[in-house]
mmCIF file with all atom_site columns, all heavy atoms in Angstrom:
data_model
loop_
_atom_site.group_PDB
_atom_site.id
_atom_site.type_symbol
_atom_site.label_atom_id
_atom_site.label_alt_id
_atom_site.label_comp_id
_atom_site.label_asym_id
_atom_site.label_entity_id
_atom_site.label_seq_id
_atom_site.pdbx_PDB_ins_code
_atom_site.Cartn_x
_atom_site.Cartn_y
_atom_site.Cartn_z
_atom_site.occupancy
_atom_site.B_iso_or_equiv
_atom_site.pdbx_formal_charge
_atom_site.auth_seq_id
_atom_site.auth_comp_id
_atom_site.auth_asym_id
_atom_site.auth_atom_id
_atom_site.pdbx_PDB_model_num
ATOM 1   N N   . PRO H 1 400 ? 97.504  84.248 109.574 1.00 0.00 ? 754 PRO H N   1
ATOM 2   C CA  . PRO H 1 400 ? 97.468  83.265 110.665 1.00 0.00 ? 754 PRO H CA  1
ATOM 3   C C   . PRO H 1 400 ? 96.989  83.858 111.993 1.00 0.00 ? 754 PRO H C   1
ATOM 4   O O   . PRO H 1 400 ? 96.374  83.158 112.809 1.00 0.00 ? 754 PRO H O   1
ATOM 5   C CB  . PRO H 1 400 ? 98.912  82.752 110.761 1.00 0.00 ? 754 PRO H CB  1
ATOM 6   C CG  . PRO H 1 400 ? 99.747  83.712 109.999 1.00 0.00 ? 754 PRO H CG  1
ATOM 7   C CD  . PRO H 1 400 ? 98.859  84.353 108.980 1.00 0.00 ? 754 PRO H CD  1
ATOM 8   N N   . THR H 1 401 ? 97.243  85.157 112.195 1.00 0.00 ? 755 THR H N   1
ATOM 9   C CA  . THR H 1 401 ? 96.770  85.822 113.418 1.00 0.00 ? 755 THR H CA  1
ATOM 10  C C   . THR H 1 401 ? 95.243  85.897 113.419 1.00 0.00 ? 755 THR H C   1
ATOM 11  O O   . THR H 1 401 ? 94.589  85.657 114.453 1.00 0.00 ? 755 THR H O   1
ATOM 12  C CB  . THR H 1 401 ? 97.379  87.245 113.514 1.00 0.00 ? 755 THR H CB  1
ATOM 13  O OG1 . THR H 1 401 ? 98.808  87.124 113.490 1.00 0.00 ? 755 THR H OG1 1
ATOM 14  C CG2 . THR H 1 401 ? 96.958  87.947 114.786 1.00 0.00 ? 755 THR H CG2 1
ATOM 15  N N   . ILE H 1 402 ? 94.667  86.191 112.268 1.00 0.00 ? 756 ILE H N   1
ATOM 16  C CA  . ILE H 1 402 ? 93.200  86.234 112.138 1.00 0.00 ? 756 ILE H CA  1
ATOM 17  C C   . ILE H 1 402 ? 92.612  84.841 112.358 1.00 0.00 ? 756 ILE H C   1
ATOM 18  O O   . ILE H 1 402 ? 91.635  84.667 113.094 1.00 0.00 ? 756 ILE H O   1
ATOM 19  C CB  . ILE H 1 402 ? 92.805  86.795 110.749 1.00 0.00 ? 756 ILE H CB  1
ATOM 20  C CG1 . ILE H 1 402 ? 93.127  88.293 110.691 1.00 0.00 ? 756 ILE H CG1 1
ATOM 21  C CG2 . ILE H 1 402 ? 91.335  86.533 110.439 1.00 0.00 ? 756 ILE H CG2 1
ATOM 22  C CD1 . ILE H 1 402 ? 92.981  88.907 109.306 1.00 0.00 ? 756 ILE H CD1 1
ATOM 23  N N   . LEU H 1 403 ? 93.230  83.832 111.746 1.00 0.00 ? 757 LEU H N   1
ATOM 24  C CA  . LEU H 1 403 ? 92.692  82.468 111.882 1.00 0.00 ? 757 LEU H CA  1
ATOM 25  C C   . LEU H 1 403 ? 92.734  82.008 113.340 1.00 0.00 ? 757 LEU H C   1
ATOM 26  O O   . LEU H 1 403 ? 91.795  81.371 113.830 1.00 0.00 ? 757 LEU H O   1
ATOM 27  C CB  . LEU H 1 403 ? 93.461  81.497 110.980 1.00 0.00 ? 757 LEU H CB  1
ATOM 28  C CG  . LEU H 1 403 ? 93.226  81.698 109.475 1.00 0.00 ? 757 LEU H CG  1
ATOM 29  C CD1 . LEU H 1 403 ? 94.064  80.708 108.676 1.00 0.00 ? 757 LEU H CD1 1
ATOM 30  C CD2 . LEU H 1 403 ? 91.749  81.539 109.110 1.00 0.00 ? 757 LEU H CD2 1
ATOM 31  N N   . ARG H 1 404 ? 93.816  82.325 114.044 1.00 0.00 ? 758 ARG H N   1
ATOM 32  C CA  . ARG H 1 404 ? 93.896  81.945 115.467 1.00 0.00 ? 758 ARG H CA  1
ATOM 33  C C   . ARG H 1 404 ? 92.739  82.578 116.237 1.00 0.00 ? 758 ARG H C   1
ATOM 34  O O   . ARG H 1 404 ? 92.089  81.920 117.047 1.00 0.00 ? 758 ARG H O   1
ATOM 35  C CB  . ARG H 1 404 ? 95.231  82.396 116.063 1.00 0.00 ? 758 ARG H CB  1
ATOM 36  C CG  . ARG H 1 404 ? 95.380  82.051 117.550 1.00 0.00 ? 758 ARG H CG  1
ATOM 37  C CD  . ARG H 1 404 ? 96.680  82.581 118.134 1.00 0.00 ? 758 ARG H CD  1
ATOM 38  N NE  . ARG H 1 404 ? 96.730  84.042 118.059 1.00 0.00 ? 758 ARG H NE  1
ATOM 39  C CZ  . ARG H 1 404 ? 97.828  84.759 118.312 1.00 0.00 ? 758 ARG H CZ  1
ATOM 40  N NH1 . ARG H 1 404 ? 98.960  84.158 118.654 1.00 0.00 ? 758 ARG H NH1 1
ATOM 41  N NH2 . ARG H 1 404 ? 97.804  86.073 118.214 1.00 0.00 ? 758 ARG H NH2 1
ATOM 42  N N   . HIS H 1 405 ? 92.466  83.865 115.950 1.00 0.00 ? 759 HIS H N   1
ATOM 43  C CA  . HIS H 1 405 ? 91.384  84.559 116.659 1.00 0.00 ? 759 HIS H CA  1
ATOM 44  C C   . HIS H 1 405 ? 90.027  83.938 116.339 1.00 0.00 ? 759 HIS H C   1
ATOM 45  O O   . HIS H 1 405 ? 89.131  83.909 117.194 1.00 0.00 ? 759 HIS H O   1
ATOM 46  C CB  . HIS H 1 405 ? 91.392  86.038 116.272 1.00 0.00 ? 759 HIS H CB  1
ATOM 47  C CG  . HIS H 1 405 ? 90.309  86.830 116.917 1.00 0.00 ? 759 HIS H CG  1
ATOM 48  N ND1 . HIS H 1 405 ? 90.289  87.092 118.280 1.00 0.00 ? 759 HIS H ND1 1
ATOM 49  C CD2 . HIS H 1 405 ? 89.167  87.382 116.414 1.00 0.00 ? 759 HIS H CD2 1
ATOM 50  C CE1 . HIS H 1 405 ? 89.197  87.783 118.571 1.00 0.00 ? 759 HIS H CE1 1
ATOM 51  N NE2 . HIS H 1 405 ? 88.504  87.976 117.458 1.00 0.00 ? 759 HIS H NE2 1
ATOM 52  N N   . LEU H 1 406 ? 89.870  83.433 115.110 1.00 0.00 ? 760 LEU H N   1
ATOM 53  C CA  . LEU H 1 406 ? 88.584  82.844 114.709 1.00 0.00 ? 760 LEU H CA  1
ATOM 54  C C   . LEU H 1 406 ? 88.491  81.365 115.090 1.00 0.00 ? 760 LEU H C   1
ATOM 55  O O   . LEU H 1 406 ? 87.492  80.701 114.800 1.00 0.00 ? 760 LEU H O   1
ATOM 56  C CB  . LEU H 1 406 ? 88.383  83.007 113.193 1.00 0.00 ? 760 LEU H CB  1
ATOM 57  C CG  . LEU H 1 406 ? 88.338  84.458 112.675 1.00 0.00 ? 760 LEU H CG  1
ATOM 58  C CD1 . LEU H 1 406 ? 88.163  84.481 111.159 1.00 0.00 ? 760 LEU H CD1 1
ATOM 59  C CD2 . LEU H 1 406 ? 87.218  85.249 113.358 1.00 0.00 ? 760 LEU H CD2 1
ATOM 60  N N   . GLY H 1 407 ? 89.547  80.837 115.706 1.00 0.00 ? 761 GLY H N   1
ATOM 61  C CA  . GLY H 1 407 ? 89.529  79.434 116.123 1.00 0.00 ? 761 GLY H CA  1
ATOM 62  C C   . GLY H 1 407 ? 89.740  78.471 114.973 1.00 0.00 ? 761 GLY H C   1
ATOM 63  O O   . GLY H 1 407 ? 89.331  77.311 115.039 1.00 0.00 ? 761 GLY H O   1
ATOM 64  N N   . LEU H 1 408 ? 90.395  78.923 113.918 1.00 0.00 ? 762 LEU H N   1
ATOM 65  C CA  . LEU H 1 408 ? 90.647  78.067 112.751 1.00 0.00 ? 762 LEU H CA  1
ATOM 66  C C   . LEU H 1 408 ? 92.138  77.785 112.629 1.00 0.00 ? 762 LEU H C   1
ATOM 67  O O   . LEU H 1 408 ? 92.970  78.595 113.038 1.00 0.00 ? 762 LEU H O   1
ATOM 68  C CB  . LEU H 1 408 ? 90.140  78.741 111.471 1.00 0.00 ? 762 LEU H CB  1
ATOM 69  C CG  . LEU H 1 408 ? 88.645  79.081 111.451 1.00 0.00 ? 762 LEU H CG  1
ATOM 70  C CD1 . LEU H 1 408 ? 88.299  79.866 110.190 1.00 0.00 ? 762 LEU H CD1 1
ATOM 71  C CD2 . LEU H 1 408 ? 87.803  77.809 111.536 1.00 0.00 ? 762 LEU H CD2 1
ATOM 72  N N   . GLU H 1 409 ? 92.448  76.646 112.033 1.00 0.00 ? 763 GLU H N   1
ATOM 73  C CA  . GLU H 1 409 ? 93.836  76.236 111.904 1.00 0.00 ? 763 GLU H CA  1
ATOM 74  C C   . GLU H 1 409 ? 94.522  76.974 110.754 1.00 0.00 ? 763 GLU H C   1
ATOM 75  O O   . GLU H 1 409 ? 93.918  77.181 109.700 1.00 0.00 ? 763 GLU H O   1
ATOM 76  C CB  . GLU H 1 409 ? 93.868  74.735 111.605 1.00 0.00 ? 763 GLU H CB  1
ATOM 77  C CG  . GLU H 1 409 ? 94.903  73.990 112.412 1.00 0.00 ? 763 GLU H CG  1
ATOM 78  C CD  . GLU H 1 409 ? 94.997  72.553 111.933 1.00 0.00 ? 763 GLU H CD  1
ATOM 79  O OE1 . GLU H 1 409 ? 93.950  71.990 111.538 1.00 0.00 ? 763 GLU H OE1 1
ATOM 80  O OE2 . GLU H 1 409 ? 96.113  72.033 111.951 1.00 0.00 ? 763 GLU H OE2 1
ATOM 81  N N   . ALA H 1 410 ? 95.759  77.370 110.959 1.00 0.00 ? 764 ALA H N   1
ATOM 82  C CA  . ALA H 1 410 ? 96.537  78.022 109.904 1.00 0.00 ? 764 ALA H CA  1
ATOM 83  C C   . ALA H 1 410 ? 97.604  77.050 109.420 1.00 0.00 ? 764 ALA H C   1
ATOM 84  O O   . ALA H 1 410 ? 98.676  76.952 109.998 1.00 0.00 ? 764 ALA H O   1
ATOM 85  C CB  . ALA H 1 410 ? 97.180  79.294 110.436 1.00 0.00 ? 764 ALA H CB  1
ATOM 86  N N   . THR H 1 411 ? 97.280  76.311 108.368 1.00 0.00 ? 765 THR H N   1
ATOM 87  C CA  . THR H 1 411 ? 98.234  75.331 107.852 1.00 0.00 ? 765 THR H CA  1
ATOM 88  C C   . THR H 1 411 ? 98.839  75.840 106.548 1.00 0.00 ? 765 THR H C   1
ATOM 89  O O   . THR H 1 411 ? 98.225  76.623 105.834 1.00 0.00 ? 765 THR H O   1
ATOM 90  C CB  . THR H 1 411 ? 97.514  73.992 107.553 1.00 0.00 ? 765 THR H CB  1
ATOM 91  O OG1 . THR H 1 411 ? 96.358  74.301 106.765 1.00 0.00 ? 765 THR H OG1 1
ATOM 92  C CG2 . THR H 1 411 ? 97.096  73.307 108.829 1.00 0.00 ? 765 THR H CG2 1
ATOM 93  N N   . GLU H 1 412 ? 100.047 75.382 106.263 1.00 0.00 ? 766 GLU H N   1
ATOM 94  C CA  . GLU H 1 412 ? 100.735 75.696 105.002 1.00 0.00 ? 766 GLU H CA  1
ATOM 95  C C   . GLU H 1 412 ? 100.760 77.194 104.706 1.00 0.00 ? 766 GLU H C   1
ATOM 96  O O   . GLU H 1 412 ? 100.355 77.643 103.633 1.00 0.00 ? 766 GLU H O   1
ATOM 97  C CB  . GLU H 1 412 ? 100.094 74.918 103.850 1.00 0.00 ? 766 GLU H CB  1
ATOM 98  C CG  . GLU H 1 412 ? 100.339 73.425 104.028 1.00 0.00 ? 766 GLU H CG  1
ATOM 99  C CD  . GLU H 1 412 ? 99.757  72.608 102.881 1.00 0.00 ? 766 GLU H CD  1
ATOM 100 O OE1 . GLU H 1 412 ? 99.872  73.051 101.737 1.00 0.00 ? 766 GLU H OE1 1
ATOM 101 O OE2 . GLU H 1 412 ? 99.209  71.543 103.162 1.00 0.00 ? 766 GLU H OE2 1
ATOM 102 N N   . MET H 1 413 ? 101.222 77.943 105.682 1.00 0.00 ? 767 MET H N   1
ATOM 103 C CA  . MET H 1 413 ? 101.425 79.379 105.503 1.00 0.00 ? 767 MET H CA  1
ATOM 104 C C   . MET H 1 413 ? 102.866 79.700 105.834 1.00 0.00 ? 767 MET H C   1
ATOM 105 O O   . MET H 1 413 ? 103.502 79.009 106.619 1.00 0.00 ? 767 MET H O   1
ATOM 106 C CB  . MET H 1 413 ? 100.533 80.170 106.469 1.00 0.00 ? 767 MET H CB  1
ATOM 107 C CG  . MET H 1 413 ? 99.072  80.189 106.088 1.00 0.00 ? 767 MET H CG  1
ATOM 108 S SD  . MET H 1 413 ? 98.197  81.314 107.192 1.00 0.00 ? 767 MET H SD  1
ATOM 109 C CE  . MET H 1 413 ? 96.559  81.227 106.452 1.00 0.00 ? 767 MET H CE  1
ATOM 110 N N   . ASP H 1 414 ? 103.386 80.789 105.256 1.00 0.00 ? 768 ASP H N   1
ATOM 111 C CA  . ASP H 1 414 ? 104.727 81.246 105.617 1.00 0.00 ? 768 ASP H CA  1
ATOM 112 C C   . ASP H 1 414 ? 104.700 82.068 106.897 1.00 0.00 ? 768 ASP H C   1
ATOM 113 O O   . ASP H 1 414 ? 105.704 82.147 107.604 1.00 0.00 ? 768 ASP H O   1
ATOM 114 C CB  . ASP H 1 414 ? 105.320 82.082 104.476 1.00 0.00 ? 768 ASP H CB  1
ATOM 115 C CG  . ASP H 1 414 ? 105.526 81.250 103.223 1.00 0.00 ? 768 ASP H CG  1
ATOM 116 O OD1 . ASP H 1 414 ? 106.163 80.184 103.340 1.00 0.00 ? 768 ASP H OD1 1
ATOM 117 O OD2 . ASP H 1 414 ? 105.028 81.631 102.156 1.00 0.00 ? 768 ASP H OD2 1
ATOM 118 N N   . GLY H 1 415 ? 103.560 82.713 107.177 1.00 0.00 ? 769 GLY H N   1
ATOM 119 C CA  . GLY H 1 415 ? 103.460 83.570 108.349 1.00 0.00 ? 769 GLY H CA  1
ATOM 120 C C   . GLY H 1 415 ? 103.178 82.791 109.619 1.00 0.00 ? 769 GLY H C   1
ATOM 121 O O   . GLY H 1 415 ? 102.811 81.611 109.583 1.00 0.00 ? 769 GLY H O   1
ATOM 122 N N   . ARG H 1 416 ? 103.365 83.468 110.758 1.00 0.00 ? 770 ARG H N   1
ATOM 123 C CA  . ARG H 1 416 ? 103.117 82.895 112.083 1.00 0.00 ? 770 ARG H CA  1
ATOM 124 C C   . ARG H 1 416 ? 102.173 83.821 112.838 1.00 0.00 ? 770 ARG H C   1
ATOM 125 O O   . ARG H 1 416 ? 102.258 85.047 112.685 1.00 0.00 ? 770 ARG H O   1
ATOM 126 C CB  . ARG H 1 416 ? 104.428 82.792 112.875 1.00 0.00 ? 770 ARG H CB  1
ATOM 127 C CG  . ARG H 1 416 ? 105.448 81.841 112.272 1.00 0.00 ? 770 ARG H CG  1
ATOM 128 C CD  . ARG H 1 416 ? 105.107 80.381 112.575 1.00 0.00 ? 770 ARG H CD  1
ATOM 129 N NE  . ARG H 1 416 ? 105.931 79.460 111.814 1.00 0.00 ? 770 ARG H NE  1
ATOM 130 C CZ  . ARG H 1 416 ? 105.592 78.957 110.609 1.00 0.00 ? 770 ARG H CZ  1
ATOM 131 N NH1 . ARG H 1 416 ? 104.467 79.283 110.031 1.00 0.00 ? 770 ARG H NH1 1
ATOM 132 N NH2 . ARG H 1 416 ? 106.389 78.107 109.994 1.00 0.00 ? 770 ARG H NH2 1
ATOM 133 N N   . PRO H 1 417 ? 101.299 83.261 113.697 1.00 0.00 ? 771 PRO H N   1
ATOM 134 C CA  . PRO H 1 417 ? 100.428 84.153 114.479 1.00 0.00 ? 771 PRO H CA  1
ATOM 135 C C   . PRO H 1 417 ? 101.278 85.103 115.332 1.00 0.00 ? 771 PRO H C   1
ATOM 136 O O   . PRO H 1 417 ? 102.283 84.697 115.908 1.00 0.00 ? 771 PRO H O   1
ATOM 137 C CB  . PRO H 1 417 ? 99.645  83.173 115.364 1.00 0.00 ? 771 PRO H CB  1
ATOM 138 C CG  . PRO H 1 417 ? 99.779  81.841 114.740 1.00 0.00 ? 771 PRO H CG  1
ATOM 139 C CD  . PRO H 1 417 ? 101.089 81.848 114.007 1.00 0.00 ? 771 PRO H CD  1
#
Side-chain angles (χ1 to χ4, degrees):
T755 302
I756 289 171
L757 291 179
R758 179 183 62 190
H759 179 69
L760 299 179
L762 301 174
E763 224 187 325
T765 50
E766 293 182 40
M767 286 187 176
D768 295 308
R770 296 282 170 268

